[in-house]
């Protein structure tokens, strides 16, 4: 059982890189941010205020999240429902950092993420995978890119799904979220001890994937 932890800020390329690295390694891919987004989606759906700790805790107690393996990636059903692309839309995007700052949510999700090892070796991406979720794994990467580059990438993504995406608006929204993620009391975004830092500004996705896969090959993780 091998865990590859990939952490980093929003739009640093983690998702694409981690998914491809998992494919290349024959491991299962986990987007931990999608789990935080799923809980946020449920709050929006139920009209729960994401800043109300008690209301959020009550929601976690009454809801059921079932983990499922689909296309070599771990997904989930919340009370039997797959939220699909709704987790990427604006109502979730603007609230997810507040949900991720709730202590009860972190405890709940970290436990779910650890349970995912039942599906096999994992490439898991997030903010605290190497620091909190799997601190003992020797295979940790911290992916970064300049804020402007990250905003350009995210704006292009948003244009694809929503038709419009202004780079400057995206840049300020990313900065707001980075600020919340790095400054929160519980599990802030940090570079894990022993993590290899990759700054992907100016690198192609393939180059980043290659960097990680070759490094793991060198370490003897895969042949
Ligand atoms: O897509 P993007 O990289 O912007 O975000 P994401 O990976 O989908 O994560 C959404 C939010 O969930 C982040 O802004 C964090 O607040 C939170 N998160 C976290 O706190 N810990 C993780 N391991 C993953 C995500």
């Amino acid at each position: 059982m091998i865990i590859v932890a990939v952490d980093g800020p929003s739009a640093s390329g983690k998702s694409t890189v981690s998914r491809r690295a998992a494919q290349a390694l024959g491991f299962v891919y986990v987007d931990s941010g999608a789990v935080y987004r799923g809980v946020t989606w449920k709050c929006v759906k139920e009209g729960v205020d994401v800043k109300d700790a008690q209301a959020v805790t009550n929601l976690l107690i009454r809801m059921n999240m079932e983990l499922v393996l689909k296309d070599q990636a771990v997904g989930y059903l919340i009370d039997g429902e797959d939220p699909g692309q709704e987790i990427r839309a604006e109502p979730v995007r603007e609230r997810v950092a507040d949900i991720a700052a709730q202590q009860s949510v972190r405890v709940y999700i970290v436990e779910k993420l650890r349970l995912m090892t039942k599906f096999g070796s994992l490439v898991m991406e997030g903010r605290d995978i190497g620091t909190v979720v799997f601190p003992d794994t020797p295979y940790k990467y911290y992916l970064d890119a300049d804020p402007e580059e990250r905003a350009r990438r995210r704006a292009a993504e948003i244009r694809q799904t929503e038709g419009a995406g202004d780079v400057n608006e995206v840049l300020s929204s990313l900065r707001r979220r980075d600020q919340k993620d790095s400054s929160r009391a519980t599990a802030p975004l940090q570079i894990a001890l022993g993590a290899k830092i990759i700054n992907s500004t100016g690198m192609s996705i393939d180059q980043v994937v290659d960097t990680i896969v070759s490094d793991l090959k060198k370490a003897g993780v895969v042949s």
Side-chain angles (χ1 to χ4, degrees):
M1 163 72 51
I2 295 197
I3 313 281
V4 179
V6 183
D7 289 303
S10 292
S12 53
K14 288 185 316 262
S15 302
T16 317
V17 163
S18 304
R19 189 184 285 279
R20 294 225 202 139
Q23 269 165 7
L25 298 162
F27 290 7
V28 170
Y29 165 68
V30 182
D31 174 358
S32 68
V35 187
Y36 288 89
R37 286 171 183 267
V39 172
T40 312
W41 170 83
K42 187 67 174 172
C43 286
V44 173
K45 198 172 151 72
E46 304 250 317
V48 170
D49 176 358
V50 294
K51 292 190 176 166
D52 182 341
Q54 191 58 55
V56 171
T57 304
N58 290 341
L59 175 72
L60 291 173
I61 293 168
R62 66 173 186 271
M63 73 174 229
N64 172 57
M65 179 182 278
E66 184 196 342
L67 302 176
V68 289
L69 186 64
K70 195 177 154 196
D71 302 330
Q72 284 301 99
V74 185
Y76 53 80
L77 297 174
I78 297 180
D79 293 330
E81 263 190 278
D82 177 354
Q85 283 308 306
E86 284 176 30
I87 63 166
R88 306 284 158 201
E90 202 268 343
V92 170
R93 189 157 64 226
E94 287 307 319
R95 288 173 179 83
V96 64
D98 287 320
I99 271 296
Q102 296 280 1
Q103 176 66 23
S104 63
V105 174
R106 302 215 71 89
V107 171
Y108 181 89
I109 292 183
V110 167
E111 193 196 334
K112 293 282 177 200
L113 297 174
R114 290 187 180 142
L115 285 172
M116 292 180 185
T117 51
K118 71 177 179 191
F119 296 112
S121 289
L122 307 172
V123 176
M124 186 178 288
E125 57 139 318
R127 302 288 193 288
D128 63 340
I129 311 307
T131 50
V132 175
V133 185
F134 293 110
D136 294 335
T137 182
Y139 312 113
K140 301 179 188 182
Y141 299 91
Y142 186 90
L143 222 63
D144 209 348
D146 297 347
E148 290 74 16
E149 167 99 8
R150 293 192 283 118
R152 272 195 299 277
R153 291 178 186 169
R154 182 50 49 91
E157 255 171 47
I158 294 174
R159 270 197 296 277
Q160 272 188 358
T161 53
E162 295 172 26
D166 178 71
V167 177
N168 287 323
E169 254 171 52
V170 174
L171 182 59
S172 49
S173 158
L174 278 185
R175 286 210 157 112
R176 268 201 309 279
R177 200 132 59 83
D178 284 352
Q179 166 64 22
K180 277 188 188 169
D181 286 347
S182 307
S183 61
R184 67 179 175 225
T186 319
L189 173 65
Q190 278 175 339
I191 302 174
L193 208 63
K196 299 205 164 122
I197 302 171
I198 304 173
N199 187 324
S200 72
T201 312
M203 273 171 96
S204 71
I205 299 279
D206 284 346
Q207 282 172 319
V208 182
V209 174
D210 273 359
T211 307
I212 294 176
V213 173
S214 348
D215 189 57
L216 290 169
K217 282 189 177 157
K218 234 188 292 162
V221 170
V222 280
S223 46

